[in-house]
């Protein structure tokens, strides 16, 4: 496999201008799963100054035509090298190829629905997989105008980026569908979906952004027919319309992409993809059960994240993956802002504070951390940079920027950015220029401090008690963690709280600008009065979550929070405090058992469903990852007891959350007294809960293959097939595990099924000899023989395992094994090495924290 480098992409971009591409795809045989490939032709209208270039394509190249005549070419792995091109005039270049259907979720993926045998196709390309589906110049700064036509079975629905221009049924039972030519568009966001999709007509949205244009946008939703009854169209379309209103009110450029299809697809590698006019989503955002409010909220965020990309990323596209954050950080930030202000999901910033932002902190403390404005030498590096820094840290830094310069200036800069760079390929300087023009502020220092450095700052508050309880010298301090000891500018809210009649009442709110090592919190001396220390039961350093920093709680505040945080009425404050406590656990500053007990105690009173669900997950992780084995039994028993009681005494979303927590804890413990309850759940009409319970039973040897087969026969859906694969792999017997490992190592499973099997192996209560050695030994071979996307799934699955510092064999099989692997594979591909280094760091953190908790 040839990996496109940044240097090659820059050289090619300077040499060629690709004005338009016509793609002709023949999917007439796609329903025949014995056909592994399909014919496709890409026709480029272009110029090439040097007279030679290469076109990216994975597949068999049948011919190359120059202005209609056969032309010589040299096939080089994933490229076609072509010389002898006219350097002094435009020409047409046709590349005729045969490309393969995918089972890895990259390129043109083909899925056969086990429920009804129907075949569905969809594309997924980011960052560099368009050339798996058709020949192209597969780099983001080459933005031709695309016209796609597709031959497919006549009873299929076909969609692409452009609007349908014509459809001609043919005597052989196929139809030729042609789509209008797009505006300038990068290859990685071109799209094609085809199959017997169920289509929901969502009506039209009409509006504009004050730029003299009006959009009349057709809205459609598509999913597999088997999922059609569960589309939840009213909620999805309400969020879609709210998002279009939100972005048009702020961005100053009317939606330029014509129609707006949202397609929910199976076996998807991502949450969603921002293909303009044809946005694809992981179908797990749909549920055969009634989705909880928190699940709908998560889906709303994703819908709005992808919609933001219609401007940040699609209209103005980062020229190379160094500036991936120019689209992902903005979409992460703006999706959350839109959900919290334009929809019923007003608590989305609280969910971000305890969820997505924790991902950023964890990623930023790894040895592989990188600046937001990253160095991406090739597309392989880009594959592993879709991480917590690019998404969540960048979003949090943008939230800090809004706090620093003001919301009006921020959106004025966005409008200028789109006005100046619509349809173009951009870099960091383009955005900084727009921000400086609208704010009147020099931002070089902000850029260096926030975008070019690594690690979170650590913020703390301190004060000196006076003789009569005054609060004096109340200050906030920052401790840099990056190698250059960078002091960042922060604008934060410091709040003070006191217990009163069983409630936490806010006693002070201080807006603080910190542009150095420390700054006064109370310069006016409002707390320099007798008895004021009584108002400091809880001091929240980054209330309202305006900045990106690890905010520490002082000892008194931590005690108050652990005992009484549910007595605070502000959901965002509660989430910020929980995030501080969780960072304390991960950094070895707070006993994990205290955190778990507090999370379980306060979860019943949490009004934000997404925050409650996160607390239940963190309670489990605190015990399983950060307590040594001998200390786990007691807190696990308390979690099981609380979850069992709540699951039986609550209803609706709350009952589902506690029942899931119960099954998760049972999976970890196999608690015999809880088995009858898990057995009853396994026969539940709620198939989501039923399959969770079935997997847990299988993991403890209480459900065998025959029983799993019977359950699948009664529920022969695509989701059930995946769950059964996980459950079979979880059975704790040597033959079951050997069969599962053989399936994984063979590399013949689809992307989702391989992940399911690996997850089952990790779920298992197997206590026999460690059988992961061969899979670990073969990681490099698997990586080099398969796509990067499938390789990432394999590596992460193989390395997903528990650790108990009290068991030397456990430490040796995890941290020890990875240290040996790194020593023996010094020349391994950088991206594979990165994944192993990150896993090793996670094990070493667990060792440190568990040691401290002994």
């Amino acid at each position: 496999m040839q990996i496109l480098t940044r240097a090659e992409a820059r050289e090619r971009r300077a040499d060629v201008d690709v004005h338009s591409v016509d793609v002709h795809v023949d999917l007439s045989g796609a329903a025949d799963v014995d056909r592994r490939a399909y014919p496709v032709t890409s026709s480029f209208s272009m110029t090439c100054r040097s007279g030679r270039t290469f076109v990216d394509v994975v597949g068999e190249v049948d011919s190359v035509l120059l202005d209609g005549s056969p032309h010589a070419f040299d096939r080089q792995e994933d490229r076609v090298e072509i010389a002898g091109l006219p350097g002094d005039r435009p020409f047409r270049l046709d590349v005729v190829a045969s490309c393969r259907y995918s089972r890895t979720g990259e390129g043109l993926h083909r899925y056969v629905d086990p429920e009804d045998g129907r075949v569905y196709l969809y594309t997924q390309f980011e960052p560099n997989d368009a050339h798996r589906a058709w020949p192209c110049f597969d780099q983001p700064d080459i933005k031709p105008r695309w016209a796609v036509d597709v031959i497919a079975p006549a009873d299929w629905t076909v969609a692409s980026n452009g609007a349908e221009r014509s459809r001609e049924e043919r005597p052989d039972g196929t139809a030729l569908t042609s789509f209008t030519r797009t505006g300038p568009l990068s290859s990685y966001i071109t799209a094609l979906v085809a199959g017997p999709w169920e289509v929901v007509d969502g009506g039209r949205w009409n509006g504009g952004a004050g730029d003299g244009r009006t959009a009349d946008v057709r809205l459609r939703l598509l999913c597999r027919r088997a999922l059609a009854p569960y589309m939840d169209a009213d909620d999805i379309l309400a969020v879609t319309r709210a998002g279009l209103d939100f972005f048009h009110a702020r961005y100053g450029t009317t939606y330029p992409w014509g129609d707006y299809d949202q397609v929910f697809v199976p076996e998807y590698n991502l949450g969603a993809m921002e293909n303009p006019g044809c946005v694809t989503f992981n179908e797990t955002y749909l549920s055969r059960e009634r989705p909880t409010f928190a699940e709908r909220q998560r889906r709303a965020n994703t819908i709005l994240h992808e919609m933001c990309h219609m401007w940040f990323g699609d209209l103005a596209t980062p020229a190379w993956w160094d500036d991936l954050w120019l689209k992902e950080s903005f979409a992460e930030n703006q999706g959350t802002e839109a959900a919290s202000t334009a929809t019923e999901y007003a608590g989305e910033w609280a969910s971000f504070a305890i969820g997505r932002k924790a991902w950023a902190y964890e990623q930023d403390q790894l040895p592989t951390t990188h600046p937001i404005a990253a160095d991406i030498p090739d597309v392989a590096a880009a594959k592993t940079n879709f991480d917590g820094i690019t998404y969540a840290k960048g979003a949090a830094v943008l939230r800090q920027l809004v706090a620093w310069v003001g919301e009006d200036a921020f959106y004025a800069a966005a409008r200028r950015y789109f006005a100046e760079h619509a349809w173009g390929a951009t870099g960091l300087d383009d955005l900084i220029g727009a921000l400086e023009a609208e704010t009147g502020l020099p931002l070089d220092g902000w850029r260096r401090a926030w975008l070019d450095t690594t690690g979170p700052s650590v913020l703390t508050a301190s004060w000196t008690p006076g003789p009569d309880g005054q609060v004096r010298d109340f200050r906030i301090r920052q401790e840099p963690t990056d190698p250059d000891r960078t002091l960042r500018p922060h604008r934060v809210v410091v709040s003070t709280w006191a217990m009163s009649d069983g409630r936490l009442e806010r006693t002070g709110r201080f807006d603080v600008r910190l542009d150095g090592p420390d700054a006064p919190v109370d310069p006016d001396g409002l707390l320099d009065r007798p008895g004021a220390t009584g108002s400091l039961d809880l001091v929240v350093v980054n209330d309202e979550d305006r900045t990106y920093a690890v905010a520490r709680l002082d000892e008194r505040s931590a005690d108050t929070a652990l005992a009484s945080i549910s007595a605070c009425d502000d959901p965002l404050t509660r989430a910020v405090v929980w995030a501080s406590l969780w960072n304390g656990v991960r950094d070895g500053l707070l006993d994990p058992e205290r955190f778990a007990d507090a999370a379980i105690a306060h979860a019943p009173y949490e009004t934000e469903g997404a925050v409650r669900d996160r607390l239940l997950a963190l309670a489990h992780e605190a015990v399983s990852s950060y307590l040594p084995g001998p200390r786990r039994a007691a807190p696990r028993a308390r979690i099981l007891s609380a979850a069992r009681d709540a699951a039986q005494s609550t209803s609706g979303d709350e009952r589902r959350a506690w029942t899931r927590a119960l099954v998760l804890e049972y999976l970890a413990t196999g608690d015999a007294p809880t088995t009858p309850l898990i057995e009853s759940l396994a026969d539940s009409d709620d198939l989501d809960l039923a399959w969770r319970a079935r997997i847990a039973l299988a993991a403890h040897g209480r459900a065998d293959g025959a029983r799993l087969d019977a359950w699948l026969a009664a529920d022969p859906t695509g989701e059930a097939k995946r769950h059964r694969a996980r459950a079979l792999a979880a059975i704790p017997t040597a033959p079951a595990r050997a069969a599962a490992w053989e399936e994984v190592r063979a590399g013949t499973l689809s992307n989702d099924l391989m992940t399911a099997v690996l997850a089952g192996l990790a779920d298992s209560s197997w206590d026999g000899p460690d059988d992961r050695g061969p899979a670990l030994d073969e990681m490099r071979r698997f990586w080099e023989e398969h796509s990067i996307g499938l390789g990432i799934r394999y590596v992460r699955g193989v390395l997903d395992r528990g650790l108990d510092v009290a068991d030397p064999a456990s430490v040796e099989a995890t941290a020890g094994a990875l240290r040996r692997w790194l020593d023996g594979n010094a020349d391994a591909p950088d991206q594979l090495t990165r994944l192993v280094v990150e896993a090793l760091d996670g094990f070493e953190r667990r060792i440190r924290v568990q040691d401290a908790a002994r």
Side-chain angles (χ1 to χ4, degrees), residues 343-638:
T343 75
E344 64 178 313
Y345 306 110
E348 185 58 13
W349 276 119
S351 175
F352 177 84
I354 195 175
R356 299 285 283 185
K357 202 170 179 184
W359 178 33
Y361 292 137
E362 292 170 14
Q363 190 83 46
D364 211 11
Q365 292 173 317
L366 292 169
T368 57
T369 186
H370 57 84
I372 293 173
D375 177 33
I376 305 296
D378 56 41
V379 293
K383 277 271 191 180
T384 49
N385 242 48
F386 289 81
D387 59 17
I389 295 170
T390 300
Y391 283 74
K393 178 180 179 179
V397 168
L398 289 174
R399 186 163 165 84
Q400 171 57 200
L401 177 64
V402 172
W404 194 264
V405 305
E407 188 175 274
D408 290 345
F410 176 81
Y411 284 116
R415 289 189 288 274
R416 176 184 288 269
Y417 177 68
F418 296 131
E420 293 178 351
H421 302 291
W423 307 113
T426 64
L428 175 57
D429 289 343
D430 299 315
L431 176 69
I432 294 296
L435 285 164
E436 288 182 334
E438 294 298 335
T439 63
L441 299 172
L443 292 175
D444 263 358
W446 179 88
R447 169 181 174 168
R448 288 193 300 272
W450 282 110
L451 305 183
D452 296 337
T453 60
T454 60
S457 306
V458 176
L459 301 183
T460 57
S462 64
W463 57 90
T464 302
D468 297 314
Q470 302 96 330
V471 175
R472 293 174 176 167
D473 195 26
F474 193 6
R475 305 188 73 79
I476 183 174
R477 292 179 168 82
Q478 69 167 311
E479 178 69 21
T481 61
D482 70 295
D484 296 325
R485 310 292 294 170
T486 304
L487 296 171
R488 296 178 175 136
H490 300 268
R491 185 179 179 184
V492 300
V493 169
V494 178
S495 63
T496 59
W497 302 74
M499 289 297 300
S500 176
D501 296 326
R503 305 301 302 166
L504 271 170
E505 303 289 347
R506 194 197 306 262
T507 56
R509 179 187 181 278
F510 303 91
D511 191 335
V512 182
R513 285 182 179 262
L514 174 62
D515 200 5
D518 62 274
V521 172
D522 182 22
D524 298 326
L526 299 177
L527 295 178
D528 191 2
R529 52 180 172 75
T533 54
S535 68
L536 303 187
D537 288 333
L538 174 66
V539 177
V540 183
V541 172
N542 183 29
D543 204 353
E544 303 174 20
D545 204 31
R546 288 186 172 192
T547 198
Y548 174 77
V550 171
R552 298 290 190 210
L553 295 172
D554 64 275
E555 184 176 356
R556 178 180 170 189
S557 294
D559 290 342
T560 298
L562 291 166
S564 306
I565 190 58
S566 57
C568 171
D569 290 333
D570 190 304
L572 184 52
T573 299
R574 294 195 303 268
V576 167
V577 169
W578 280 116
S580 293
L581 293 169
W582 179 244
N583 280 323
V585 171
R586 293 189 69 253
D587 293 339
L589 303 175
L590 175 63
D591 185 84
E593 186 171 357
R594 288 188 72 198
F595 177 93
D597 285 343
I600 293 299
H602 291 293
Y605 307 101
E606 179 52 60
T607 60
E608 290 295 324
V611 175
R612 175 202 59 223
D613 294 355
R614 178 70 172 156
L615 288 178
L616 296 177
L618 290 179
H620 173 82
E621 186 176 351
V623 175
S624 297
S625 294
Y626 296 116
L627 277 179
R631 284 195 57 192
R632 292 175 188 168
R636 278 178 168 167
R638 292 192 292 274

Side-chain angles (χ1 to χ4, degrees), residues 756-804:
V757 171
L758 285 166
L761 286 162
D763 290 335
S764 178
S765 63
W766 169 252
D767 59 0
D770 183 13
D771 55 5
R772 290 182 176 239
L776 187 66
D777 293 340
E778 292 179 17
M779 270 198 316
R780 183 165 179 178
R781 177 194 64 79
F782 192 99
W783 183 274
E784 292 172 346
E785 292 180 359
H786 295 83
S787 69
I788 293 177
L790 203 63
I792 290 172
R793 284 178 180 250
Y794 178 91
V795 172
R796 287 178 172 162
V798 168
L799 300 183
D800 177 19
R801 58 185 309 169
L803 180 150
D804 177 10

Side-chain angles (χ1 to χ4, degrees), residues 803-821:
L803 180 150
D804 177 10
V805 74
D807 177 6
S810 170
V811 175
E812 178 58 26
T814 52
L818 295 196
R819 292 188 193 106
R820 288 193 301 277
W821 190 94

